[in-house]
C-alpha cells in the first residue's frame, strides 16, 4: 500500500503533447466494465478517439497506484454517475489493442493498449435509475444480450469480452 500511495502522490496531469509522446513509447492499461441488468448490457457512445462514435463498454485508463477494482469504480462513476464498491467488480479477461488513431497529436500514430475487462452483474433498478452519461460518452444505452453479436459499432474485442461474460468463459 505504501508504494501505491507514493505513486498516487507523485502523479501529475500530462499535457496532450506529453501524453502523445507517452503513447508513442508506452503501452497504456485500461479497465473496461461489463455492467448488466437482467438480459441487458450497458454500452456508451465514445466522444473521443480511439473508436470515436462507436459503442464501447464503460471504462478507461488506469492511473498509477490504482487496483483494477479502483480503476473500474472511478470510470463507472465518471461515465455513469454510479458509485459502486470495488469488490463488486469481477475479472473476465485481458486483451491487447492496437489502435490506428488516437485523440492526441499526431493522431495517425495510433497507440497500443492493454484492456482488462471486469464485470458487475445485475445492477438494481435503483442503480439503473441513477445512470447518466459522463465525460467520455455522449449517450448510454442498454443493449439486449441477444443483440450483442449484431451491433456493428461495438469494438470487436469488447464484443468478444461480452460474449465470454454471457457464456461464463473467464480467464483465471
Amino acid at each position: 500500500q505504501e508504494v501505491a500511495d507514493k505513486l498516487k502522490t507523485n502523479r501529475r496531469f500530462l499535457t496532450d503533447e506529453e501524453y502523445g509522446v507517452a503513447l508513442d513509447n508506452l503501452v497504456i492499461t485500461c479497465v473496461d466494465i461489463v455492467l448488466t441488468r437482467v438480459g441487458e448490457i450497458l454500452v456508451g457512445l465514445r466522444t473521443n478517439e480511439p473508436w470515436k462514435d462507436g459503442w464501447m463498454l464503460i471504462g478507461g485508463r488506469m492511473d498509477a497506484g490504482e487496483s483494477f477494482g479502483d480503476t473500474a469504480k472511478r470510470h463507472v462513476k465518471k461515465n455513469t454517475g454510479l458509485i459502486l464498491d470495488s469488490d463488486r467488480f469481477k475479472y473476465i479477461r485481458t486483451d491487447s489493442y492496437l489502435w490506428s488513431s488516437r485523440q492526441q497529436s499526431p493522431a495517425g500514430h495510433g497507440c497500443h493498449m492493454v484492456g482488462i475487462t471486469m464485470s458487475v452483474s445485475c445492477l438494481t433498478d435503483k442503480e439503473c435509475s441513477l445512470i447518466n452519461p459522463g465525460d467520455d460518452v455522449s449517450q448510454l444505452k442498454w443493449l439486449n444480450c441477444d443483440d450483442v453479436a449484431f451491433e456493428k459499432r461495438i469494438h470487436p474485442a469488447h464484443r468478444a469480452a461480452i460474449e465470454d461474460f454471457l457464456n461464463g468463459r473467464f480467464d483465471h
Side-chain angles (χ1 to χ4, degrees):
Q1 185 60 43
E2 184 179 324
V3 173
D5 290 341
K6 188 174 187 177
L7 286 169
K8 290 176 187 177
T9 302
N10 293 332
R11 188 173 54 218
R12 73 173 178 88
F13 185 80
L14 299 177
T15 66
D16 277 352
E17 183 179 341
E18 290 170 323
Y19 192 59
V21 171
L23 289 174
D24 284 340
N25 293 282
L26 302 171
V27 177
I28 306 300
T29 301
C30 294
V31 176
D32 302 307
I33 306 98
V34 177
L35 293 166
T36 69
R37 66 181 183 189
V38 178
E40 296 179 310
I41 292 175
L42 187 67
V43 292
L45 190 63
R46 291 266 310 171
T47 55
N48 298 315
E49 294 292 351
W51 210 252
K52 184 177 181 178
D53 298 324
W55 294 103
M56 295 189 71
L57 296 171
I58 301 303
R61 184 177 61 240
M62 187 175 198
D63 287 343
E66 282 186 320
S67 68
F68 297 146
D70 290 342
T71 302
K73 178 180 178 175
R74 179 171 56 84
H75 283 288
V76 166
K77 180 180 179 187
K78 177 181 175 185
N79 287 295
T80 70
L82 284 179
I83 300 171
L84 303 175
D85 290 334
S86 297
D87 61 357
R88 287 186 64 187
F89 298 95
K90 307 297 179 211
Y91 175 82
I92 298 177
R93 62 186 272 155
T94 301
D95 291 285
S96 180
Y97 305 120
L98 297 174
W99 299 99
S100 61
S101 64
R102 65 187 193 207
Q103 188 68 25
Q104 297 75 16
S105 186
H109 281 201
C111 57
H112 185 182
M113 296 181 176
V114 169
I116 307 297
T117 306
M118 303 186 79
S119 68
V120 173
S121 296
C122 298
L123 294 175
T124 65
D125 288 341
K126 181 178 180 182
E127 288 171 331
C128 291
S129 73
L130 301 172
I131 292 175
N132 288 298
D135 293 349
D136 296 333
V137 294
S138 60
Q139 333 173 19
L140 296 168
K141 77 173 178 177
W142 289 100
L143 184 61
N144 185 295
C145 293
D146 295 333
D147 296 336
V148 170
F150 304 107
E151 176 56 65
K152 303 267 188 256
R153 292 172 51 201
I154 291 181
H155 189 272
H158 283 193
R159 181 181 300 110
I162 291 167
E163 289 172 356
D164 279 357
F165 170 78
L166 294 174
N167 293 309
R169 294 186 303 256
F170 307 134
D171 291 345
H172 295 288

